[in-house]
Amino acid sequence: RHMAEESSSSSSPAASSQQQHQQQLKNKSLLISSVAVGHHANGLTKAASSTVSSFANSKPGSAKKLVIKNFKDKPKLPENYTDETWQKLKEAVEAIQNSTSIKYNLEELYQAVENLCSYKISANLYKQLRQICEDHIKAQIHQFREYPLTESLFIYKCWQDHCRQMIMIRSIFLFLDRTYVLQNSMLPSIWDMGLELFRTHIISDQKVQNKTIDGILLLIERERNGEAIDRSLLRSLLSMLSDLQIYQDSFEHRFLEETNRLYAAEGQRLMQEREVPEYLHHVNKRLEEEADRIITYLDQSTQKPLIATVEKQLLGEHLTAILQKGLNHLLDENRIQDLSLLYQLFSRVRGGVQVLLQHWIEYIKAFGSTIVINPEKDKTMVQELLDFKDKVDHIIDVCFLKNEKFVNAMKEAFETFINKRPNKPAELIVGMATPIFSYSVYIYLPTVFSTAFFDCFFLIIKTSLIECGAAFTSKLEGMFKDMELSKDIMIQFKQYMQNQNVPGNIELTVNILTMGYWPTYVPMEVHLPPEMVKLQEIFKTFYLGKHSGRKLQWQSTLGHCVLKAEFKEGKKELQVSLFQTLVLLMFNEGEEFSLEEIKQATGIEDGELRRTLQSLACGKARVLTKSPKGKDVEDGDKFTCNDDFRHKLFRIKINQIQMKETVEEQASTTERVFQDRQYQIDAAIVRIMKMRKTLSHNLLVSEVYNQLKFPVKPADLKKRIESLIDRDYMERDKENPNQYNYIA
C-alpha cells in the first residue's frame, strides 16, 4: 500500500544528555524501516521503495519532521492474476446459480473484484459477468416452454430463484456496480441487467409469455366463477410482470379484453334471466369484487379502465332496458333501498342520471295522469295527489340525494299532468282551499296540513292560479310563515306545560294563524269536555302572556283528535275530527243515544252533525251502529257503539264526509279560476306582440297556446284579445282586420 506518515519528536530540555538525543534518532530509523518493509495482500506484492526527506532544524532540542512520499511506480499485478481471479469469481457465480456451496470467502471475492476494478479491468469484468448470467438464463428456456399451463407456481419459483441469485451476485460485484456502472449512465445496474436478461430471454419468449399470461388469466377467471385461488401467488406473479416492465403491454391489455368479453356476455344473459332488483345487486357485487382485486393483487394503473369496463358492460349497455323493465315497479312498490342502489349505480355511468331523469319524468306524468283524468277519482283526487307528492319527495330526499334536477323535473311533471284535464283539478283545489284556509286557531293540526300538502298545494296554486297578483302572493307567503312560527310556539308551550300540574294526559297542539292572511270563517260554538276547555285556557294564558293585546278565536270546526279505543278485537287509535270526537266521547257515558240527544249534548249544528254521524256509522270504518240501518241519518235514528269493530290497521283515519258541491258553486269556482288565469293570458299576449310587433290572429293564438301551461277555450282567448285592444295594448290592422299591431 502507498503510505505517507508524519511524526514529530518531543522537545528535550537543555540539560538533556547526548545519549538521549541519539536514542531519539534511533527511534526515527526504526520508524523508517517499518514503512519500507514489503507488504503482501491477495497475491499482490508492492515494492518497498520510498523517498525520505532530510531532517529540518536538526539542532538539538528542536522539533524534527519526517516526510514519506508515495510510490513513484504503480505496483504491477502478478502474472495470470486477472485470469485466476476471474476463474474464482466465475466459479462463485456458477455455484450461486446452481445453488451449491461457494468455495471462497465472500469477503475475499469482494476484495478480488475491487482489485480488478483498481487496474482498469472493470469493463471486461462487467462484460464477462453479463455473459455468464445470460448463458445461464438461456440454458433454462426449454424448462419454461415445457411447463404446463396450470403450473403458474413453476415460473414464480424460477423468478424467485433468479431474484435471489442476482442479489447474491450483486453483493459480490458491489464495488463494480457502485463505481464503473454508476459512472456509465448507458449501462444498466447489475440488478437491472438481470431483469433485462430474464425479460429478454424468458418472458419475452412468445410461448413462455402466452403460457404465463394464460395461467394468470385462468386463475382470475376461476376466482370470478366463485372458486378459491391462491391470491398471494397471483399477486407475486403480477408483481413479477411489473418488475419486468411488461405488465401493461403483455397482461393488462389482454386482461381488459377478457373482462370486457366476460361481462358483455354476463350482462346480456342476466338481463334476460333476472329481475331488476336482483340484477342491480349483482352489478354492485361485481363492482365490489373488482375493486377488491385491485387492492389485493392488480396494479393501481388497472383500476380506472377495469371499473369503466365493468360499468360499461353491466350498466352502460343496459340503462334503458333496466329502467323500462323495472323502474315503474320499484317506484310503485316504493322500494327505497333498491331505488337508492339504482341511483348510485346510474351515477357511475356517463349519461346514466340523465336517462333516469327522463324515465322519472315519464313515470310522474303517467301516474299523475291516472289520478287527474279519471272522473271517478274526483272525490279522492286531492288526497291522492298529496300522497303521491309525499312519496316522490321522500324518494328524491333519500334515494336521489336531493338532486336538484330531480326536484325541478318533478315540479314540471306535476304541472304537465295537472293541466291534462281542464279546470277540474283547479276547481277541486280551490274548493278545498276555501274551508281549509278559513280559520285562525284549531285544536289539532289536520292531516292534510302536512309538508306534502303545502308543497303540492303551492305547486297547484302555481299552475292553476298563476299570476294572481302581489297581494295573493304575499298572503300565501304569510300562510306558510304562520305555520313555521306555530312550530316554535308549540316547542315553548310544551316546556311551559312541564311546569303546570294539569290532570289527565291530553296533548294539545295549536297553530296560531294571522287573520289577515287567511279567509274568514264563522266559528261554531260546541260543548267541549272540561279537560279540553281547561287546556284551552292554559294555552290562552301562556300565549297572551307572551303577546299581550292579541285576541284568540278558536276554530273547532277544523280540529282533529286521536282517540284511544278498546274493542273486542283489541285496542285501536282513531284519527278523527273534533266533531267526531265529541260524538264518540258520549259513549263513555252511555250505550245508546238518539240524534236529538247527541245534538243537545254536543251543540253541533244539525247538518254538520248528520254528516259526522254518517261518517261514523255508514262509512268504511263503522265504529258506531245506526238503528235503523241506512245510508242517510234521519230524525229518530239511534246509535250504539260497535264493540265488534274490526280493522287491519292499528291507527284508523275516519274521514269527515264533505258537502257536495252544487252546480252554482262549481260554476262559481270555474269563474274564479278563469278570473285568476286571465292575467297570465294577458301577459302572454302582450309579450308575444311586443316581440313580433305584427301578427295574424291564428299565429297569435298558436303562440299563446305554446306559452301557456293550462288549457284555454278559444272563446275566452278571443275575449282577452278584445280586452287588450280596448285598453290600447294592441290594435287591429286597418287594411286587414285579421291582423294585429302592437302599440308601444
Side-chain angles (χ1 to χ4, degrees), residues 23 60 217 516:
Q23 183 63 38
L217 294 177

Side-chain angles (χ1 to χ4, degrees), residues 182-340:
L182 197 61
Q183 294 166 6
N184 291 269
S185 58
M186 300 302 292
L187 291 177
S189 67
I190 293 175
W191 174 258
D192 291 340
M193 178 256 290
L195 296 180
E196 178 189 324
L197 293 175
F198 195 90
R199 178 173 59 247
T200 303
H201 298 291
I202 303 297
I203 293 298
S204 293
D205 182 87
Q206 203 59 46
K207 190 173 181 180
V208 175
Q209 186 177 115
N210 289 342
K211 279 190 172 186
T212 304
I213 304 302
D214 288 345
I216 294 173
L217 294 177
L218 181 62
L219 286 173
I220 297 175
E221 181 183 353
R222 284 168 52 191
E223 186 183 44
R224 282 173 170 166
N225 291 333
E227 295 183 36
I229 63 166
D230 187 349
R231 299 187 110 197
S232 61
L233 170 62
L234 203 51
R235 181 172 59 250
S236 299
L237 288 169
L238 292 172
S239 178
M240 173 189 76
L241 298 182
S242 296
D243 291 341
L244 294 172
Q245 298 179 354
I246 61 169
Y247 177 89
Q248 291 184 334
D249 295 337
S250 301
F251 167 75
E252 187 177 85
H253 181 68
R254 280 191 60 192
F255 170 67
L256 293 175
E257 284 183 345
E258 291 294 328
T259 301
N260 191 71
R261 191 179 300 110
L262 168 71
Y263 288 125
E266 184 173 278
Q268 293 287 348
R269 175 173 54 82
L270 294 182
M271 274 301 296
Q272 300 295 327
E273 297 176 358
R274 300 187 179 185
E275 295 299 323
V276 168
E278 189 180 0
Y279 181 79
L280 292 175
H281 284 283
H282 175 79
V283 173
N284 190 53
K285 179 184 175 185
R286 283 300 200 189
L287 287 168
E288 289 176 351
E289 288 174 353
E290 297 303 332
D292 182 58
R293 286 188 184 94
I294 293 165
I295 295 172
T296 306
Y297 53 75
L298 292 172
D299 191 85
Q300 284 297 316
S301 64
T302 311
Q303 179 177 7
K304 191 173 180 180
L306 173 59
I307 299 301
T309 300
V310 181
E311 291 171 347
K312 178 177 181 294
Q313 294 303 335
L314 294 184
L315 289 172
E317 298 292 334
H318 308 287
L319 292 176
T320 304
I322 291 171
L323 296 175
Q324 289 177 346
K325 185 177 180 181
L327 178 61
N328 286 5
H329 174 70
L330 295 179
L331 291 170
D332 289 341
E333 298 292 327
N334 206 26
R335 303 276 288 270
I336 298 299
Q337 290 185 344
D338 292 334
L339 286 168
S340 299

Side-chain angles (χ1 to χ4, degrees), residues 328 331-332 359-368 388 391:
N328 286 5
L331 291 170
D332 289 341
H359 283 74
W360 168 251
I361 295 172
E362 292 171 9
Y363 172 81
I364 294 177
K365 289 179 180 178
F367 191 92
F388 182 50
K391 173 182 172 179

Side-chain angles (χ1 to χ4, degrees), residues 478-502:
M479 293 176 183
F480 286 101
K481 186 176 180 181
D482 281 346
M483 299 304 294
E484 291 299 320
L485 290 174
S486 295
K487 293 179 182 178
D488 297 334
I489 291 172
M490 288 314 300
I491 293 173
Q492 298 173 19
F493 179 63
K494 287 181 179 179
Q495 295 173 349
Y496 175 81
M497 287 293 291
Q498 291 176 357
N499 300 323
Q500 304 296 316
N501 186 18
V502 181

Side-chain angles (χ1 to χ4, degrees), residues 63-77:
K64 307 296 190 299
K65 284 189 178 181
L66 176 64
V67 180
I68 303 175
K69 297 183 178 180
N70 292 334
F71 295 115
K72 291 183 178 180
D73 298 326
K74 188 175 182 178
K76 294 181 180 180
L77 291 174

Side-chain angles (χ1 to χ4, degrees), residues 131-143:
Q131 187 62 49
I132 191 173
C133 291
E134 187 172 14
D135 292 343
H136 174 71
I137 291 173
K138 282 182 177 180
Q140 298 181 73
I141 190 64
H142 68 280
Q143 300 178 45

